[in-house]
Amino acid sequence: MNDRMKRTPVTEQAPEVRAKNFKEVCLGYNEDDAMKEANRCLNCKNPKCVEGCPVSINIPGFISKAKIGNFEGAAREIAKYSALPAVCGRVCPQESQCEGNCVLGIKGEAVAIGKLEMFTADWSRKNKVDLSQTEPSKGKKVAVIGSGPAGLTCAGDLAKKGYDVTIFEALHEAGGVLVYGIPEFRLPKDEVVKAEIENIKKLGVTIETNVIVGRTITIDQLIEDEKFEAVFVGSGAGLPKFMGIPGENANGVFSANEFLTRVNLMKAFKEEYDTPVKAGKKVAIVGGGNVAMDAARTALRLGAEAHIVYRRSESELPARAEEVHHAKEEGVIFDVLTNPTEILTDENGWVKGMKCVKMELGEPDASGRRKPVVKENSEFVLEVDTVIMSLGTSPNPLISSTTKGLEINGRACLVANEDGLTTKEGVYAGGDAVTGAATVILAMGAGKKAAAAIDEYLSR
């Protein structure tokens, strides 16, 4: 394989070191390595990588500037399309999107687009590049509910177009899933997330925290009393799902949402913070997605032996390959083709084990995947003292139940068209509130589409 077909290696913390700390795993490129990797790009006339990007970043455009060391120019090119480049460079599933479409990936390794985006955004932050250019004020107010990736993107795009945007956030800190869901070792909060939010505030966006829309104020009141001319709902999907098996209400059973929120947002991993979380000595994380990997790797760093318990085979794990690889390197144990049937407790109601059955793959189900079926006489007990359920989430019904004319579907998700318009005039929605739990970049794409539609609606 010649040099062009092989990507420039990225420095990472050694597994045995990082498994004991919450510092970022990936250390990224330096300037020379970033230029070296950028020069692998073929600058295709028909760039398939752009087609694979949910926010349509001009990838060859920013990489062509990085090739010659014009990192400020590269940052400005990305800023035309994305409000959260340092986040996306770290947590996007590039392997199935931009990099998955890279021509070099056919016979060799795709250009490390994500790592180049991460480097460019970090360089821009460290060198204090001002990306706060906006159009003249239009004198029109837009409310955004939720400060996660969908809400931040929508707010940023509208602010650039001259709208007066206020974000209403239920929690005490802005960022949504970026601050409460994704661990510090994948996405540093102070250095990265807060800095990107500050860039959005520099565009003129106001963020009001501790405002629970549906309780503190309703959407109807925002429109009728506060005179907002359009509303975007990007409230996410924070309601956890459970299996419904016996013992699930025992002490020592968490949803992944609660576990990660207490560690990430409430800093339970820091000794000086009075927000402890009991990780236990041996933890079972039920599920196989990215959130399950985050919970397992977090439990490991808190000193536990962490087990991923997943009912399908390893090849069907829905988590990103990079996350599975990192989890394995760090020592997470994978109990695949295994399904819990009951959580066992001691006399005080605390978890002491989990009754499981082994599974085998049967005929394909509606999704085309082979359906897991119980293997006969395979019941056993996995001795654990903590169980974390990572089975997905759904939207909280609070907003839909307190807003006239706002319809939801059978999955409790808001009904909206492809531009984000809901069943209520002037109210748009996007991200997990519409699709159910999905990725950061898909939420950003939805926020971007809705911003364009809101601009068109208010420009009539």
Side-chain angles (χ1 to χ4, degrees), residues 46 51 140 147 152 197 215 289 353:
N46 180 24
E51 294 176 19
K140 295 183 178 182
S147 64
L152 290 171
I197 291 172
R215 284 287 181 269

Side-chain angles (χ1 to χ4, degrees), residues 100-120:
N101 285 2
C102 177
V103 172
L104 284 178
I106 297 171
K107 292 185 177 179
E109 294 179 343
V111 173
I113 299 167
K115 297 296 186 280
L116 287 173
E117 183 180 19
M118 170 182 163
F119 167 81
T120 302

Side-chain angles (χ1 to χ4, degrees), residues 1-312:
M1 191 182 287
N2 65 40
D3 286 348
R4 181 151 226 164
M5 302 307 288
K6 193 171 183 180
R7 68 168 62 189
T8 309
V10 178
T11 308
E12 293 180 345
Q13 282 196 74
E16 65 275 11
V17 175
R18 68 180 192 243
K20 294 180 173 64
N21 67 56
F22 279 80
K23 295 175 183 175
E24 189 168 16
V25 169
C26 179
L27 304 178
Y29 286 136
N30 58 31
E31 291 189 8
D32 290 341
D33 283 343
M35 290 173 67
K36 181 180 176 182
E37 181 61 20
N39 274 282
R40 292 181 61 231
C41 177
L42 300 174
N43 199 23
C44 304
K45 289 184 179 178
N46 180 24
K48 298 291 184 184
C49 54
V50 177
E51 294 176 19
C53 176
V55 294
S56 303
I57 291 172
N58 178 8
I59 293 167
F62 98 78
I63 289 180
S64 67
K65 292 178 170 59
K67 282 181 180 181
I68 57 173
N70 180 9
F71 302 125
E72 180 174 336
R76 293 193 182 283
E77 189 62 36
I78 295 173
K80 294 176 186 176
Y81 307 89
S82 174
L84 302 168
V87 169
C88 289
R90 286 168 165 84
V91 304
C92 274
Q94 291 99 3
E95 67 277 2
S96 61
Q97 294 178 162
C98 54
E99 293 177 15
N101 285 2
C102 177
V103 172
L104 284 178
I106 297 171
K107 292 185 177 179
E109 294 179 343
V111 173
I113 299 167
K115 297 296 186 280
L116 287 173
E117 183 180 19
M118 170 182 163
F119 167 81
T120 302
D122 289 354
W123 187 96
S124 172
R125 181 183 68 252
K126 290 168 186 172
N127 287 275
K128 296 181 171 55
V129 177
D130 183 5
L131 302 170
S132 60
Q133 294 80 7
T134 62
E135 295 177 16
S137 173
K138 287 184 167 64
K140 295 183 178 182
K141 292 170 62 179
V142 179
V144 171
I145 300 169
S147 64
L152 290 171
T153 299
C154 185
D157 278 16
L158 287 169
K160 287 177 185 177
K161 292 179 183 293
Y163 291 97
D164 180 1
V165 184
T166 301
I167 296 176
F168 297 96
E169 168 55 47
L171 296 177
H172 64 279
E173 195 169 315
V177 71
L178 305 177
V179 294
Y180 71 72
I182 302 173
E184 187 80 13
F185 53 82
R186 282 216 295 135
L187 185 62
K189 308 303 170 226
D190 292 341
E191 187 182 0
V192 175
V193 179
K194 286 183 180 178
E196 302 236 295
I197 291 172
E198 282 303 313
N199 283 340
I200 290 169
K201 289 166 75 173
K202 285 175 186 174
L203 296 169
V205 174
T206 299
I207 301 178
E208 293 191 19
T209 56
N210 300 308
V211 178
I212 302 173
V213 175
R215 284 287 181 269
T216 313
I217 195 169
T218 66
I219 287 178
D220 294 320
Q221 288 171 330
L222 287 172
I223 295 169
E224 294 162 14
D225 301 340
E226 302 297 326
K227 307 304 178 189
F228 284 97
E229 296 181 57
V231 177
F232 174 76
V233 182
S235 50
L239 195 63
K241 296 177 182 177
F242 289 87
M243 292 185 72
I245 59 176
E248 218 166 12
N249 292 325
N251 296 321
V253 178
F254 296 90
S255 69
N257 260 35
E258 179 192 354
F259 181 73
L260 289 170
T261 297
R262 287 173 67 174
V263 175
N264 298 333
L265 181 63
M266 300 170 72
K267 312 293 186 188
F269 66 93
K270 292 188 175 182
E271 289 183 8
E272 65 268 27
Y273 277 72
D274 190 22
T275 51
V277 61
K278 180 180 179 290
K281 293 179 180 177
K282 193 171 179 179
V283 181
I285 298 89
V286 182
N290 290 324
V291 176
M293 298 306 141
D294 286 344
R297 296 173 69 196
T298 297
L300 189 85
R301 282 162 170 77
L302 293 173
E305 178 181 298
H307 290 246
I308 288 286
V309 178
Y310 181 59
R311 68 192 187 112
R312 295 183 186 268

Side-chain angles (χ1 to χ4, degrees), residues 339-418:
N339 204 36
T341 58
E342 183 181 354
I343 294 167
L344 306 175
T345 60
D346 63 19
E347 63 276 10
N348 296 314
W350 286 90
V351 173
K352 69 172 185 180
M354 189 166 69
K355 198 178 285 186
C356 303
V357 288
K358 297 302 291 184
M359 309 294 284
E360 53 191 2
L361 297 179
E363 296 301 313
D365 61 15
S367 69
R369 295 194 297 178
R370 290 174 66 192
K371 187 176 180 179
V373 294
V374 177
K375 199 172 183 179
E376 286 187 24
N377 302 315
S378 64
E379 191 171 270
F380 70 100
V381 173
L382 183 64
E383 292 183 2
V384 294
D385 52 11
T386 304
V387 176
I388 298 171
M389 293 292 180
S390 183
L391 306 168
T393 53
S394 60
N396 190 314
L398 180 61
I399 287 175
S400 59
S401 66
T402 57
T403 308
K404 298 171 192 170
L406 204 57
E407 292 181 13
I408 58 173
N409 61 24
R411 297 181 297 120
C413 297
L414 293 174
V415 174
N417 70 12
E418 61 179 19

Side-chain angles (χ1 to χ4, degrees), residues 314-334:
E314 185 173 325
S315 63
E316 294 171 292
L317 283 164
R320 291 181 67 191
E322 182 180 52
E323 300 310 315
V324 175
H325 172 68
H326 280 156
K328 283 187 169 182
E329 278 191 329
E330 291 165 8
V332 173
I333 298 162
F334 284 73

